[in-house]
Amino acid sequence: MTQTSNEGVRRRGVLAIDEGTTGTRAGVVLDSGAAHEVFYRAIKVDHPDDLSVEQDPLEIWDATLEVARRAVRRAHEDGITVTSVALSTQRATAMLWDRVTGLPLLPAVVWQDRRYAQELTAYEERWDAVLLARQGRPVGARAPFLWAARQIAEHPEVAAAHRAGRLVFGTVDTWLIWRLTGGAVHATTPTNAASAGGYLLERHAWDEEWIGALGFPPELLPELRSDDAGFGTTDADALGSVVKCHAHIRSDASVTAAS
């Protein structure tokens, strides 16, 4: 149900975006805590083979932009001022894109992907105990860093972008923040970094030893910021106005943000 203000009082709210694996929704959360109208758009999940799971990064962005713009437009129509953006996303889905063109170079590898699961078992004897102690999780079957390393090795256009300093890596949260801020912010959070299998719990840092062992170039790692830290401001072309990006949280966590 749409909830608006009393007559003559302009309300304030936070645009909350929830980008999940099969769809994206957005709505404005009012200063009272009530939710304004929520909009949703489904997105495709592709299965090229029995082990691979992929998505189109541009479809993820287009869906996010569409529902976010609809939520902002409806809020403005009802006299609500959007003061900031809070974002939650599916975890450990990774992609590579060109910093100059802003376009993805390959389909995204989804967190459900298991194409490297068998290969990762070879790391378990050496790394399971180490990773459990410092990351709180074993080697597992998710492989966004190994996937990225293989794409650089196997695709000339990806390797060329890397050599030219144009290659950008990130999970969905990083991709959407980068696009929302017009390329100004390349960052992720502890919750998302931990889900990708690369976060040192006690140091608030990337586990570069482990990530490097997978062949991933450490210079491609996004900046780590706390989940409730600032993530810059939106580009005016994205939402029609410049507002702060205040929270950036994995999709199974609650989203909170302050103006």
Side-chain angles (χ1 to χ4, degrees):
M1 176 184 296
T2 299
Q3 299 191 33
T4 56
S5 61
N6 295 327
E7 290 185 20
V9 180
R10 190 167 183 87
R11 304 294 300 274
R12 289 155 35 106
V14 173
L15 172 64
I17 300 171
D18 180 10
E19 198 295 304
T21 308
T22 57
T24 305
R25 56 176 48 82
V28 173
V29 179
L30 302 176
D31 47 12
S32 65
H36 199 247
E37 187 168 354
V38 176
F39 297 89
Y40 177 82
R41 176 174 153 182
I43 55 176
K44 285 179 57 181
V45 180
D46 297 319
H47 301 267
D49 56 56
D50 290 344
L51 297 176
S52 301
V53 187
E54 297 178 343
Q55 288 185 303
D56 180 356
L58 284 179
E59 184 182 6
I60 292 173
W61 167 241
D62 289 344
T64 300
L65 195 59
E66 178 188 321
V67 296
R69 285 175 170 172
R70 291 177 68 190
V72 169
R73 183 166 58 248
R74 181 57 56 84
H76 287 170
E77 290 171 353
D78 289 344
I80 299 165
T81 299
V82 175
T83 61
S84 58
V85 177
L87 173 68
S88 69
T89 67
Q90 56 173 304
R91 302 171 290 158
T93 293
M95 54 202 71
L96 292 161
W97 66 94
D98 188 303
R99 185 186 310 277
V100 176
T101 67
L103 297 176
L105 296 171
L106 299 157
V109 60
V110 178
W111 60 271
Q112 300 157 321
D113 190 281
R114 294 297 182 267
R115 73 187 73 179
Y116 300 114
Q118 183 60 42
E119 185 176 342
L120 285 168
T121 61
Y123 291 87
E124 292 174 354
E125 183 177 359
R126 164 70 177 86
W127 285 98
D128 263 358
V130 174
L131 296 181
L132 279 168
R134 64 195 195 192
Q135 290 192 31
R137 58 184 298 152
V139 171
R142 292 179 187 165
F145 302 110
L146 179 59
W147 169 83
R150 292 296 169 80
Q151 307 319 300
I152 295 171
E154 296 171 3
H155 295 273
E157 68 276 19
V158 180
H162 182 218
R163 289 193 300 270
R166 295 166 56 138
L167 188 62
V168 188
F169 167 85
T171 42
V172 172
D173 54 306
T174 306
W175 165 245
L176 293 181
I177 286 288
W178 193 86
R179 294 299 300 248
L180 284 167
T181 62
V185 177
H186 178 229
T188 191
T189 64
T191 51
N192 284 287
S195 296
Y199 183 67
L200 294 172
L201 297 173
E202 294 183 353
R203 292 177 49 196
H204 182 53
W206 288 108
D207 192 337
E208 293 193 17
E209 183 185 12
W210 165 241
I211 293 170
L214 297 172
F216 182 91
E219 68 272 13
L220 296 182
L221 290 168
E223 176 190 353
L224 281 168
R225 299 189 186 184
S226 297
D227 292 79
D228 59 352
F231 288 86
T233 56
T234 59
D235 184 82
D237 290 339
L239 300 178
S241 62
V242 176
V243 296
K244 296 178 181 178
C245 298
H246 265 308
H248 180 193
I249 302 172
R250 70 188 193 185
S251 63
D252 58 352
S254 61
V255 178
T256 58
S259 60

PDB file of all heavy atoms in Angstrom, residues 3-14 28-36 75-76 78-83:
ATOM      1  N   GLN A   3       1.919   4.802   1.078  1.00  0.00           N
ATOM      2  CA  GLN A   3       1.662   5.634   2.246  1.00  0.00           C
ATOM      3  C   GLN A   3       2.344   6.972   2.043  1.00  0.00           C
ATOM      4  O   GLN A   3       3.522   7.035   1.715  1.00  0.00           O
ATOM      5  CB  GLN A   3       2.192   4.964   3.516  1.00  0.00           C
ATOM      6  CG  GLN A   3       1.515   3.623   3.783  1.00  0.00           C
ATOM      7  CD  GLN A   3       1.842   3.106   5.147  1.00  0.00           C
ATOM      8  OE1 GLN A   3       2.013   3.874   6.090  1.00  0.00           O
ATOM      9  NE2 GLN A   3       1.918   1.804   5.283  1.00  0.00           N
ATOM     10  N   THR A   4       1.614   8.055   2.224  1.00  0.00           N
ATOM     11  CA  THR A   4       2.149   9.390   2.014  1.00  0.00           C
ATOM     12  C   THR A   4       1.980  10.209   3.270  1.00  0.00           C
ATOM     13  O   THR A   4       1.513   9.752   4.297  1.00  0.00           O
ATOM     14  CB  THR A   4       1.447  10.071   0.824  1.00  0.00           C
ATOM     15  OG1 THR A   4       0.031  10.072   1.060  1.00  0.00           O
ATOM     16  CG2 THR A   4       1.723   9.307  -0.471  1.00  0.00           C
ATOM     17  N   SER A   5       2.343  11.479   3.143  1.00  0.00           N
ATOM     18  CA  SER A   5       2.395  12.341   4.308  1.00  0.00           C
ATOM     19  C   SER A   5       1.068  13.033   4.567  1.00  0.00           C
ATOM     20  O   SER A   5       0.133  12.967   3.784  1.00  0.00           O
ATOM     21  CB  SER A   5       3.461  13.409   4.071  1.00  0.00           C
ATOM     22  OG  SER A   5       3.110  14.177   2.951  1.00  0.00           O
ATOM     23  N   ASN A   6       1.013  13.734   5.679  1.00  0.00           N
ATOM     24  CA  ASN A   6      -0.111  14.609   5.950  1.00  0.00           C
ATOM     25  C   ASN A   6      -0.054  15.802   5.007  1.00  0.00           C
ATOM     26  O   ASN A   6       0.986  16.124   4.442  1.00  0.00           O
ATOM     27  CB  ASN A   6      -0.050  15.100   7.398  1.00  0.00           C
ATOM     28  CG  ASN A   6      -0.221  13.948   8.375  1.00  0.00           C
ATOM     29  OD1 ASN A   6      -0.940  12.997   8.102  1.00  0.00           O
ATOM     30  ND2 ASN A   6       0.462  14.045   9.513  1.00  0.00           N
ATOM     31  N   GLU A   7      -1.163  16.474   4.825  1.00  0.00           N
ATOM     32  CA  GLU A   7      -1.229  17.591   3.890  1.00  0.00           C
ATOM     33  C   GLU A   7      -0.199  18.654   4.249  1.00  0.00           C
ATOM     34  O   GLU A   7      -0.029  19.029   5.395  1.00  0.00           O
ATOM     35  CB  GLU A   7      -2.635  18.207   3.916  1.00  0.00           C
ATOM     36  CG  GLU A   7      -3.699  17.305   3.311  1.00  0.00           C
ATOM     37  CD  GLU A   7      -5.041  18.012   3.248  1.00  0.00           C
ATOM     38  OE1 GLU A   7      -5.036  19.262   3.303  1.00  0.00           O
ATOM     39  OE2 GLU A   7      -6.055  17.323   3.156  1.00  0.00           O
ATOM     40  N   GLY A   8       0.508  19.126   3.197  1.00  0.00           N
ATOM     41  CA  GLY A   8       1.444  20.224   3.367  1.00  0.00           C
ATOM     42  C   GLY A   8       2.788  19.839   3.943  1.00  0.00           C
ATOM     43  O   GLY A   8       3.671  20.682   4.057  1.00  0.00           O
ATOM     44  N   VAL A   9       2.992  18.604   4.300  1.00  0.00           N
ATOM     45  CA  VAL A   9       4.264  18.155   4.873  1.00  0.00           C
ATOM     46  C   VAL A   9       4.959  17.245   3.875  1.00  0.00           C
ATOM     47  O   VAL A   9       4.427  16.191   3.524  1.00  0.00           O
ATOM     48  CB  VAL A   9       4.058  17.406   6.205  1.00  0.00           C
ATOM     49  CG1 VAL A   9       5.397  16.952   6.765  1.00  0.00           C
ATOM     50  CG2 VAL A   9       3.322  18.294   7.195  1.00  0.00           C
ATOM     51  N   ARG A  10       6.131  17.654   3.424  1.00  0.00           N
ATOM     52  CA  ARG A  10       6.859  16.845   2.455  1.00  0.00           C
ATOM     53  C   ARG A  10       7.676  15.796   3.208  1.00  0.00           C
ATOM     54  O   ARG A  10       8.480  16.129   4.074  1.00  0.00           O
ATOM     55  CB  ARG A  10       7.767  17.716   1.590  1.00  0.00           C
ATOM     56  CG  ARG A  10       8.351  16.933   0.415  1.00  0.00           C
ATOM     57  CD  ARG A  10       8.998  17.846  -0.609  1.00  0.00           C
ATOM     58  NE  ARG A  10       9.481  17.081  -1.758  1.00  0.00           N
ATOM     59  CZ  ARG A  10       8.753  16.777  -2.809  1.00  0.00           C
ATOM     60  NH1 ARG A  10       7.499  17.187  -2.866  1.00  0.00           N
ATOM     61  NH2 ARG A  10       9.251  16.067  -3.809  1.00  0.00           N
ATOM     62  N   ARG A  11       7.469  14.549   2.878  1.00  0.00           N
ATOM     63  CA  ARG A  11       8.150  13.453   3.554  1.00  0.00           C
ATOM     64  C   ARG A  11       9.514  13.195   2.931  1.00  0.00           C
ATOM     65  O   ARG A  11       9.798  13.582   1.810  1.00  0.00           O
ATOM     66  CB  ARG A  11       7.301  12.178   3.470  1.00  0.00           C
ATOM     67  CG  ARG A  11       5.899  12.335   4.025  1.00  0.00           C
ATOM     68  CD  ARG A  11       5.906  12.584   5.520  1.00  0.00           C
ATOM     69  NE  ARG A  11       6.524  11.488   6.264  1.00  0.00           N
ATOM     70  CZ  ARG A  11       5.873  10.394   6.670  1.00  0.00           C
ATOM     71  NH1 ARG A  11       4.579  10.262   6.395  1.00  0.00           N
ATOM     72  NH2 ARG A  11       6.491   9.455   7.345  1.00  0.00           N
ATOM     73  N   ARG A  12      10.352  12.489   3.690  1.00  0.00           N
ATOM     74  CA  ARG A  12      11.668  12.084   3.207  1.00  0.00           C
ATOM     75  C   ARG A  12      11.766  10.568   3.238  1.00  0.00           C
ATOM     76  O   ARG A  12      11.112   9.914   4.049  1.00  0.00           O
ATOM     77  CB  ARG A  12      12.769  12.687   4.099  1.00  0.00           C
ATOM     78  CG  ARG A  12      12.928  14.175   3.949  1.00  0.00           C
ATOM     79  CD  ARG A  12      13.528  14.848   5.179  1.00  0.00           C
ATOM     80  NE  ARG A  12      14.510  14.068   5.896  1.00  0.00           N
ATOM     81  CZ  ARG A  12      15.828  14.284   5.872  1.00  0.00           C
ATOM     82  NH1 ARG A  12      16.316  15.241   5.085  1.00  0.00           N
ATOM     83  NH2 ARG A  12      16.650  13.573   6.593  1.00  0.00           N
ATOM     84  N   GLY A  13      12.590  10.028   2.353  1.00  0.00           N
ATOM     85  CA  GLY A  13      12.740   8.582   2.323  1.00  0.00           C
ATOM     86  C   GLY A  13      14.047   8.153   1.692  1.00  0.00           C
ATOM     87  O   GLY A  13      14.746   8.944   1.054  1.00  0.00           O
ATOM     88  N   VAL A  14      14.370   6.875   1.895  1.00  0.00           N
ATOM     89  CA  VAL A  14      15.565   6.259   1.329  1.00  0.00           C
ATOM     90  C   VAL A  14      15.142   5.305   0.222  1.00  0.00           C
ATOM     91  O   VAL A  14      14.231   4.489   0.408  1.00  0.00           O
ATOM     92  CB  VAL A  14      16.344   5.482   2.417  1.00  0.00           C
ATOM     93  CG1 VAL A  14      17.483   4.692   1.813  1.00  0.00           C
ATOM     94  CG2 VAL A  14      16.860   6.440   3.483  1.00  0.00           C
ATOM     95  N   VAL A  28      10.826   3.079  -1.954  1.00  0.00           N
ATOM     96  CA  VAL A  28      11.291   4.120  -1.036  1.00  0.00           C
ATOM     97  C   VAL A  28      10.767   3.810   0.365  1.00  0.00           C
ATOM     98  O   VAL A  28       9.565   3.591   0.557  1.00  0.00           O
ATOM     99  CB  VAL A  28      10.825   5.510  -1.496  1.00  0.00           C
ATOM    100  CG1 VAL A  28      11.163   6.571  -0.451  1.00  0.00           C
ATOM    101  CG2 VAL A  28      11.478   5.850  -2.846  1.00  0.00           C
ATOM    102  N   VAL A  29      11.693   3.776   1.325  1.00  0.00           N
ATOM    103  CA  VAL A  29      11.343   3.578   2.733  1.00  0.00           C
ATOM    104  C   VAL A  29      11.246   4.954   3.384  1.00  0.00           C
ATOM    105  O   VAL A  29      12.217   5.715   3.385  1.00  0.00           O
ATOM    106  CB  VAL A  29      12.379   2.708   3.455  1.00  0.00           C
ATOM    107  CG1 VAL A  29      12.000   2.542   4.924  1.00  0.00           C
ATOM    108  CG2 VAL A  29      12.502   1.344   2.777  1.00  0.00           C
ATOM    109  N   LEU A  30      10.087   5.278   3.924  1.00  0.00           N
ATOM    110  CA  LEU A  30       9.841   6.607   4.475  1.00  0.00           C
ATOM    111  C   LEU A  30      10.521   6.804   5.817  1.00  0.00           C
ATOM    112  O   LEU A  30      10.922   5.838   6.489  1.00  0.00           O
ATOM    113  CB  LEU A  30       8.336   6.835   4.627  1.00  0.00           C
ATOM    114  CG  LEU A  30       7.516   6.710   3.340  1.00  0.00           C
ATOM    115  CD1 LEU A  30       6.040   6.850   3.644  1.00  0.00           C
ATOM    116  CD2 LEU A  30       7.968   7.720   2.308  1.00  0.00           C
ATOM    117  N   ASP A  31      10.626   8.048   6.235  1.00  0.00           N
ATOM    118  CA  ASP A  31      11.244   8.354   7.523  1.00  0.00           C
ATOM    119  C   ASP A  31      10.456   7.781   8.695  1.00  0.00           C
ATOM    120  O   ASP A  31      10.981   7.632   9.794  1.00  0.00           O
ATOM    121  CB  ASP A  31      11.439   9.861   7.695  1.00  0.00           C
ATOM    122  CG  ASP A  31      10.200  10.668   7.341  1.00  0.00           C
ATOM    123  OD1 ASP A  31       9.118  10.071   7.184  1.00  0.00           O
ATOM    124  OD2 ASP A  31      10.318  11.901   7.236  1.00  0.00           O
ATOM    125  N   SER A  32       9.221   7.402   8.460  1.00  0.00           N
ATOM    126  CA  SER A  32       8.412   6.753   9.501  1.00  0.00           C
ATOM    127  C   SER A  32       8.712   5.261   9.609  1.00  0.00           C
ATOM    128  O   SER A  32       8.268   4.597  10.548  1.00  0.00           O
ATOM    129  CB  SER A  32       6.931   6.927   9.183  1.00  0.00           C
ATOM    130  OG  SER A  32       6.601   6.238   7.976  1.00  0.00           O
ATOM    131  N   GLY A  33       9.450   4.732   8.619  1.00  0.00           N
ATOM    132  CA  GLY A  33       9.711   3.300   8.561  1.00  0.00           C
ATOM    133  C   GLY A  33       8.765   2.557   7.642  1.00  0.00           C
ATOM    134  O   GLY A  33       8.967   1.378   7.360  1.00  0.00           O
ATOM    135  N   ALA A  34       7.713   3.235   7.185  1.00  0.00           N
ATOM    136  CA  ALA A  34       6.765   2.610   6.266  1.00  0.00           C
ATOM    137  C   ALA A  34       7.354   2.533   4.868  1.00  0.00           C
ATOM    138  O   ALA A  34       8.151   3.383   4.460  1.00  0.00           O
ATOM    139  CB  ALA A  34       5.464   3.404   6.231  1.00  0.00           C
ATOM    140  N   ALA A  35       6.962   1.508   4.114  1.00  0.00           N
ATOM    141  CA  ALA A  35       7.434   1.344   2.746  1.00  0.00           C
ATOM    142  C   ALA A  35       6.455   1.974   1.772  1.00  0.00           C
ATOM    143  O   ALA A  35       5.244   1.765   1.872  1.00  0.00           O
ATOM    144  CB  ALA A  35       7.608  -0.130   2.422  1.00  0.00           C
ATOM    145  N   HIS A  36       6.972   2.740   0.848  1.00  0.00           N
ATOM    146  CA  HIS A  36       6.174   3.273  -0.238  1.00  0.00           C
ATOM    147  C   HIS A  36       6.034   2.168  -1.287  1.00  0.00           C
ATOM    148  O   HIS A  36       6.419   1.011  -1.047  1.00  0.00           O
ATOM    149  CB  HIS A  36       6.854   4.527  -0.790  1.00  0.00           C
ATOM    150  CG  HIS A  36       5.965   5.420  -1.575  1.00  0.00           C
ATOM    151  ND1 HIS A  36       6.115   5.613  -2.919  1.00  0.00           N
ATOM    152  CD2 HIS A  36       4.912   6.177  -1.203  1.00  0.00           C
ATOM    153  CE1 HIS A  36       5.193   6.456  -3.357  1.00  0.00           C
ATOM    154  NE2 HIS A  36       4.447   6.825  -2.332  1.00  0.00           N
ATOM    155  N   ALA A  75       7.606   8.236  -5.873  1.00  0.00           N
ATOM    156  CA  ALA A  75       7.796   8.973  -4.623  1.00  0.00           C
ATOM    157  C   ALA A  75       7.654  10.474  -4.852  1.00  0.00           C
ATOM    158  O   ALA A  75       6.981  11.171  -4.083  1.00  0.00           O
ATOM    159  CB  ALA A  75       9.162   8.642  -4.029  1.00  0.00           C
ATOM    160  N   HIS A  76       8.265  10.975  -5.914  1.00  0.00           N
ATOM    161  CA  HIS A  76       8.167  12.406  -6.211  1.00  0.00           C
ATOM    162  C   HIS A  76       6.726  12.809  -6.499  1.00  0.00           C
ATOM    163  O   HIS A  76       6.278  13.885  -6.088  1.00  0.00           O
ATOM    164  CB  HIS A  76       9.061  12.747  -7.398  1.00  0.00           C
ATOM    165  CG  HIS A  76      10.522  12.737  -7.069  1.00  0.00           C
ATOM    166  ND1 HIS A  76      11.528  12.813  -8.011  1.00  0.00           N
ATOM    167  CD2 HIS A  76      11.159  12.649  -5.873  1.00  0.00           C
ATOM    168  CE1 HIS A  76      12.695  12.779  -7.421  1.00  0.00           C
ATOM    169  NE2 HIS A  76      12.504  12.673  -6.128  1.00  0.00           N
ATOM    170  N   ASP A  78       4.174  11.641  -5.178  1.00  0.00           N
ATOM    171  CA  ASP A  78       3.449  11.669  -3.915  1.00  0.00           C
ATOM    172  C   ASP A  78       4.079  12.610  -2.892  1.00  0.00           C
ATOM    173  O   ASP A  78       3.787  12.530  -1.696  1.00  0.00           O
ATOM    174  CB  ASP A  78       3.372  10.253  -3.335  1.00  0.00           C
ATOM    175  CG  ASP A  78       2.441   9.360  -4.139  1.00  0.00           C
ATOM    176  OD1 ASP A  78       1.648   9.901  -4.936  1.00  0.00           O
ATOM    177  OD2 ASP A  78       2.507   8.127  -3.983  1.00  0.00           O
ATOM    178  N   GLY A  79       4.948  13.508  -3.360  1.00  0.00           N
ATOM    179  CA  GLY A  79       5.512  14.525  -2.474  1.00  0.00           C
ATOM    180  C   GLY A  79       6.581  14.019  -1.525  1.00  0.00           C
ATOM    181  O   GLY A  79       6.758  14.585  -0.436  1.00  0.00           O
ATOM    182  N   ILE A  80       7.305  12.997  -1.910  1.00  0.00           N
ATOM    183  CA  ILE A  80       8.358  12.427  -1.062  1.00  0.00           C
ATOM    184  C   ILE A  80       9.719  12.769  -1.650  1.00  0.00           C
ATOM    185  O   ILE A  80       9.954  12.575  -2.851  1.00  0.00           O
ATOM    186  CB  ILE A  80       8.209  10.895  -0.958  1.00  0.00           C
ATOM    187  CG1 ILE A  80       6.857  10.536  -0.333  1.00  0.00           C
ATOM    188  CG2 ILE A  80       9.352  10.279  -0.162  1.00  0.00           C
ATOM    189  CD1 ILE A  80       6.479   9.083  -0.521  1.00  0.00           C
ATOM    190  N   THR A  81      10.623  13.269  -0.832  1.00  0.00           N
ATOM    191  CA  THR A  81      11.981  13.580  -1.255  1.00  0.00           C
ATOM    192  C   THR A  81      12.897  12.401  -0.945  1.00  0.00           C
ATOM    193  O   THR A  81      12.984  11.958   0.204  1.00  0.00           O
ATOM    194  CB  THR A  81      12.509  14.833  -0.522  1.00  0.00           C
ATOM    195  OG1 THR A  81      11.680  15.950  -0.841  1.00  0.00           O
ATOM    196  CG2 THR A  81      13.947  15.136  -0.931  1.00  0.00           C
ATOM    197  N   VAL A  82      13.556  11.882  -1.971  1.00  0.00           N
ATOM    198  CA  VAL A  82      14.513  10.787  -1.783  1.00  0.00           C
ATOM    199  C   VAL A  82      15.860  11.387  -1.412  1.00  0.00           C
ATOM    200  O   VAL A  82      16.429  12.194  -2.155  1.00  0.00           O
ATOM    201  CB  VAL A  82      14.633   9.931  -3.058  1.00  0.00           C
ATOM    202  CG1 VAL A  82      15.718   8.860  -2.891  1.00  0.00           C
ATOM    203  CG2 VAL A  82      13.294   9.290  -3.381  1.00  0.00           C
ATOM    204  N   THR A  83      16.369  11.007  -0.250  1.00  0.00           N
ATOM    205  CA  THR A  83      17.593  11.623   0.271  1.00  0.00           C
ATOM    206  C   THR A  83      18.834  10.774   0.100  1.00  0.00           C
ATOM    207  O   THR A  83      19.953  11.282   0.180  1.00  0.00           O
ATOM    208  CB  THR A  83      17.430  11.932   1.770  1.00  0.00           C
ATOM    209  OG1 THR A  83      17.208  10.697   2.471  1.00  0.00           O
ATOM    210  CG2 THR A  83      16.260  12.876   1.998  1.00  0.00           C
TER     211      THR A  83
END
